[in-house]
Amino acid sequence: MKKLELLAPARDLETGLDAINCGADAVYIGAEHFGARAGAANTVTDIGKLAAHAHKYRAKVYAAVNTILSDAELPQAQKLIHSLWEAGADAVIIQDMGLLEAGLPPIPLFASTQTHNTTPEKVLFLEKAGFRRVILARELTLEEIKAIRAKTTVDLEFFVHGALCVCYSGQCYLSCELGGRSANRGECAQPCRKLYTLKDAAGEILEAGKHELSLKDLNLSRRLGHLAAAGITSFKIEGRLKDRAYVRNIVSLYRRELDKVIAGKGFARASAGKSFTAFTPNAAKTFNRGYTEYFLDGNPLDVASPDTPKFMGEPLGRIFDVKEGSFKIHNADKLHPGDGITFFDKAGVLSGSLINSVKDGRVRADNLKGLENGSAVYRNLDREFLKSVERDPLQRRFAVKLEFSETDTGFRLTAADERGLTVTRELPMKKEQAKKPEQALDTIKKQLSKLGDSAFYLESLGVELSTPYFIPVSILNDLRRDALAGLENAGASAPVREEIKITPNSFPYPEQKLDHTANILNSKAADFYKRHGVKGTGKAAEAGADLAGRPLMVTRFCLLRRLGQCKKGKAVQPVYLEDAEGVRLRLEFDCAACRMRVYKDLSAPAPQAEAEDLDE
């Protein structure tokens, strides 16, 4: 039976533990160096601790070592991967093909989405090269995923939730070119989230002061069944920079939705243990820019978030009777002191405030500057919900079946859990028929069912006795505790990890010649491609490749389409993006392929790009 994996992000050990306890089948986490999120690095020791906890539930931990590497860095990365394997990691996510030439332990390799995995030919190549899993591009449609699955057998992973890059992953050079901060080196400054003015070739303004390249966030919680049917086996939540509340909420939501798919389609879970949470997950309550299903069904119109790249929140309605730092709104009783609200001021800038009090339908807040009667108000911080998420103890337990029966010399309790482990405990004692049979039987069932704070929850209890016997409560409790302790001890050893030893081969790469978009930064990566039949390899942007006249981005998102000006089949003039610092970008349109290309306008200055934490 095919197993489906819920894969959660972790920026640190604590977040990873939360993800496992909320039901994740696997967690991916950045290593000490060379992760595509430089701000989410973790020690090998912490990754080992996370793996030990995950393995108790037959869950897995994948370490991200997915930047491109220089020749000087390759030995360090090789040593790091050996350390990760020894610490207990189950796989590493990589982008740089030079690592396959460097000599690695038998740890499974996953091809990062940074390797631009969009076609059956590319995915098949990665499979033949020895990768255990390929992480597909977010831009793919269901039909494209099915086409890849039809030509390959490698495990396929797909993003189902979180922030979206407007450019194909691994193919974005905008941050690198504008400010020297490379996305392929884990240092993206996110210039795609900035404000721009859109102009036509004649300089006429088409749209002013919008976040023209900023997209909504992905939410495919309704589509997990479709993805599973298309061949996806790992469902990935984005967010290695997200906080613990986000991870708790979103992982719990997707655990619930994926379990529905598993129950209804005959799939199996990839790990053991059921998570018990006191809160009801709600994707609207934690950071998002509005949600989209992106290109899963084709080319939608509404995937952008041009008004703000920040968390606007849930719509509450329009306000009235604004006066003296307060306003009225219908259903004001749903708001509480400490909640956060947002609204767009007169200039169209998202502003926010904390609520001080709510009384008689009137809401008082710290900062209402720019708020007018009729303004739409949103809640981006639900204090009560956040408290319920943060205080939840997050228990994950194994299903256990108990069978209580009699023997010639006393009684027997057999405990079997969902991991396939079985423990039997004998209770030698003199049998004494109960004077009150029904009460005695109820006592046996009641005491054996009390699993308390153990690592187990009761799936079923069978009692097979020739007649009800009197057994003291203390003896029943000791017998139950002894059996469950035996199960815990039996499951303490780590499961055997999968080992993959890659044997170099010469299976042909789908292309004969590679340019800077292959992201080749070291000589071993160049050797890898040459061994697979590539005749020419260009150097990476980070190695000084001249990007003049070359696209800094290729996107499936089209600005003209968003504005209702799609001109497919007709000649399209370039349009331009300009920001407040003087950066000017030229947009060209490949309407036949429905792609937009972003170039640097060489006539404009290029100031340093400042990093922004907009994916929090």
Side-chain angles (χ1 to χ4, degrees):
M1 187 177 291
K2 184 186 295 184
K3 292 182 178 180
L4 302 184
E5 175 187 273
L6 176 60
L7 177 56
R11 73 176 181 184
D12 52 29
L13 173 60
E14 289 74 20
T15 310
L17 296 174
D18 280 351
I20 294 296
N21 292 338
C22 282
D25 298 306
V27 168
Y28 65 103
I29 185 169
E32 291 179 355
H33 309 287
F34 313 126
R37 295 288 186 273
N42 294 272
T43 65
V44 170
T45 299
D46 276 357
I47 292 173
K49 291 177 181 178
L50 179 58
H53 182 71
H55 290 163
K56 288 196 301 184
Y57 301 98
R58 305 300 187 257
K60 297 179 179 180
V61 171
Y62 310 139
V65 188
N66 59 334
T67 61
I68 56 175
L69 306 161
S70 68
D71 281 300
E73 290 168 333
L74 267 176
Q76 185 182 357
Q78 178 192 21
K79 183 179 179 181
L80 174 61
I81 292 173
H82 276 276
S83 297
L84 291 166
W85 176 245
E86 292 167 3
D90 297 279
V92 289
I93 304 166
I94 69 168
Q95 175 186 185
D96 198 311
M97 297 300 154
L99 286 168
L100 277 74
E101 306 286 301
L104 298 178
I107 189 168
L109 300 180
F110 293 176
S112 170
T113 190
Q114 296 291 115
T115 57
H116 192 52
N117 308 317
T118 61
T119 66
E121 294 77 17
K122 178 64 175 291
V123 176
L124 178 62
F125 169 78
L126 293 168
E127 177 182 332
K128 296 296 185 182
F131 283 91
R132 182 66 177 81
R133 176 182 295 180
V134 175
I135 306 168
L136 300 180
R138 294 168 173 88
E139 291 81 359
L140 296 181
T141 67
L142 269 177
E143 294 307 311
E144 288 168 334
I145 293 171
K146 290 176 183 177
I148 289 171
R149 177 72 297 160
K151 298 289 182 65
T152 63
T153 60
V154 68
D155 284 353
L156 298 179
E157 180 181 306
F158 196 67
F159 282 93
V160 294
H161 194 95
L164 289 166
C165 293
V166 66
C167 181
Y168 282 94
S169 296
Q171 307 290 287
C172 183
Y173 308 99
L174 188 60
S175 177
C176 181
E177 182 69 11
L178 296 184
R181 299 178 58 110
S182 167
N184 282 311
R185 298 278 288 169
E187 299 176 337
C188 181
Q190 296 189 321
C192 54
R193 302 291 186 187
K194 295 174 66 175
L195 279 170
Y196 292 96
T197 292
L198 181 66
K199 296 182 179 181
D200 64 16
E204 295 293 322
I205 294 177
L206 302 176
E207 193 171 45
K210 294 289 185 181
H211 302 271
E212 298 287 1
L213 297 176
S214 180
L215 300 185
K216 293 180 178 179
D217 285 4
L218 185 65
N219 185 335
L220 297 179
S221 56
R222 302 185 313 113
R223 310 301 300 277
L224 304 185
H226 295 123
L227 288 167
I232 299 301
T233 51
S234 180
F235 302 81
K236 186 173 195 171
I237 298 168
E238 182 275 339
R240 279 195 288 134
L241 295 176
K242 297 296 198 302
D243 60 23
R244 295 175 70 182
Y246 173 96
V247 169
R248 287 181 169 211
N249 184 29
I250 300 303
V251 171
S252 297
L253 172 71
Y254 277 84
R255 179 74 272 161
R256 180 184 68 188
E257 296 305 314
L258 192 57
D259 283 346
K260 292 177 185 177
V261 175
I262 290 170
K265 300 291 185 181
F267 298 108
R269 277 194 59 175
S271 65
K274 179 180 179 181
S275 296
F276 295 84
T277 53
F279 67 92
T280 301
N282 185 339
K285 297 289 188 181
T286 41
F287 185 95
N288 68 87
R289 302 176 179 88
Y291 286 124
T292 175
E293 292 185 347
Y294 211 29
F295 293 99
L296 204 63
D297 293 318
N299 197 341
L301 288 171
D302 190 21
V303 301
S305 176
D307 294 325
T308 179
K310 299 179 180 178
F311 181 28
M312 194 162 60
E314 305 170 90
L316 296 174
R318 296 191 177 274
I319 55 97
F320 58 95
D321 197 14
V322 178
K323 61 182 180 182
E324 299 175 354
S326 67
F327 61 84
K328 285 192 171 184
I329 189 170
H330 296 300
N331 298 318
D333 57 321
K334 293 182 179 179
L335 295 170
H336 304 92
D339 282 359
I341 58 171
T342 65
F343 54 89
F344 287 96
D345 63 19
K346 296 176 183 179
V349 177
L350 188 71
S351 298
S353 180
L354 289 177
I355 292 174
N356 292 325
S357 66
V358 182
K359 185 177 180 181
D360 299 328
R362 181 166 291 281
V363 180
R364 295 190 177 277
D366 287 335
N367 171 35
L368 299 181
K369 185 178 180 181
L371 190 65
E372 299 178 314
N373 286 326
S375 294
V377 172
Y378 307 82
R379 176 167 58 186
N380 69 345
L381 173 59
D382 185 335
R383 185 168 173 267
E384 294 300 314
F385 177 80
L386 189 60
K387 284 169 60 178
S388 71
V389 172
E390 291 178 339
R391 68 171 172 250
D392 197 320
L394 300 181
Q395 297 174 320
R396 182 166 176 171
R397 299 177 175 179
F398 302 108
V400 65
K401 296 179 180 179
L402 299 179
E403 295 289 339
F404 184 70
S405 58
E406 60 183 296
T407 66
D408 292 340
T409 58
F411 303 95
R412 175 189 297 120
L413 180 63
T414 299
D417 73 12
E418 62 182 283
R419 295 171 292 182
L421 301 175
T422 301
V423 167
T424 297
R425 292 292 184 264
E426 300 283 346
L427 176 62
M429 66 176 290
K430 182 180 178 181
K431 298 177 185 177
E432 180 183 346
Q433 287 194 0
K435 296 178 181 179
K436 297 180 179 180
E438 290 187 10
Q439 182 177 327
L441 192 58
D442 286 345
T443 297
I444 292 171
K445 291 180 178 179
K446 180 180 178 181
Q447 297 310 125
L448 293 180
S449 298
K450 288 183 175 180
L451 304 194
D453 293 329
S454 73
F456 305 91
Y457 71 94
L458 187 63
E459 184 176 6
S460 65
L461 170 63
V463 178
E464 294 185 10
L465 301 172
S466 59
T467 185
Y469 295 99
F470 169 74
I471 306 174
V473 168
S474 60
I475 292 179
L476 288 169
N477 288 342
D478 288 344
L479 182 63
R480 182 200 66 238
R481 282 193 287 263
D482 189 25
L484 295 183
L487 271 184
E488 284 208 59
N489 291 335
S493 59
V496 176
R497 290 178 294 166
E498 181 181 28
E499 296 188 13
I500 302 290
K501 184 172 177 58
I502 293 179
T503 302
N505 60 59
S506 57
F507 187 85
Y509 191 75
E511 300 174 45
Q512 290 277 305
K513 196 170 184 180
L514 298 177
D515 61 10
H516 69 285
T517 60
N519 300 324
I520 298 171
L521 192 57
N522 60 73
S523 58
K524 285 191 179 295
D527 291 342
F528 170 86
Y529 286 110
K530 289 174 184 176
R531 182 159 52 80
H532 289 280
V534 174
K535 304 302 182 185
T537 56
K539 60 183 178 181
E542 294 78 5
D546 184 5
L547 300 185
R550 297 183 177 184
L552 304 180
M553 280 187 178
V554 178
T555 80
R556 204 163 193 171
F557 164 70
C558 177
L559 263 173
L560 292 184
R561 182 173 172 80
R562 180 181 76 75
L563 295 172
Q565 298 181 24
C566 178
K567 296 180 173 62
K568 193 163 187 176
K570 301 178 182 178
V572 181
Q573 293 295 317
V575 297
Y576 297 85
L577 292 178
E578 296 180 2
D579 72 5
E581 288 78 36
V583 172
R584 193 166 189 255
L585 305 173
R586 184 177 81 254
L587 308 182
E588 294 186 356
F589 304 91
D590 180 355
C591 293
C594 212
R595 300 289 187 273
M596 182 175 75
R597 291 186 169 85
V598 181
Y599 298 82
K600 179 182 176 183
D601 183 18
L602 298 179
S603 64
Q608 293 288 312
E610 295 294 331
E612 295 185 73
D613 292 326
L614 295 174
D615 282 336
E616 290 294 331

